[in-house]
Amino acid sequence: TRGLNCPLPILKAQKALTSMSSGQVLKVVSTDTGSVRDFAAFAKQTGNELMSQTTEGSDFVHILKRR
């Protein structure tokens, strides 16, 4: 989701997660600084596990596990 601003990274992640099986892991790479806060809230609201969030240069990497 590089180059996309809120809410597009969340919407794309949500779409990907719906096609995944329970327990599968999704890696989302974003350049939106607000995505750190957004993905934490998204995981809490949806019940998916936010396994980690890291910053790699200008990229914010979010690892989510499908509930």
Side-chain angles (χ1 to χ4, degrees):
T1 62
R2 286 184 181 105
L4 300 177
N5 292 323
C6 182
L8 291 175
I10 293 290
L11 293 175
K12 290 193 174 282
Q14 186 173 22
K15 184 176 181 180
L17 285 165
T18 58
S19 67
M20 295 168 62
S21 300
S22 181
Q24 284 188 299
V25 176
L26 176 67
K27 176 181 179 180
V28 181
V29 181
S30 179
T31 51
D32 180 11
T33 56
S35 68
V36 174
R37 178 192 64 238
D38 294 343
F39 274 96
F42 171 75
K44 192 172 188 177
Q45 289 174 348
T46 61
N48 294 299
E49 180 185 348
L50 182 58
M51 297 175 67
S52 72
Q53 289 183 302
T54 57
T55 304
E56 299 174 6
S58 61
D59 290 339
F60 302 94
V61 181
H62 315 280
I63 308 294
L64 295 143
K65 183 189 262 187
R66 173 82 159 96
R67 62 177 160 86

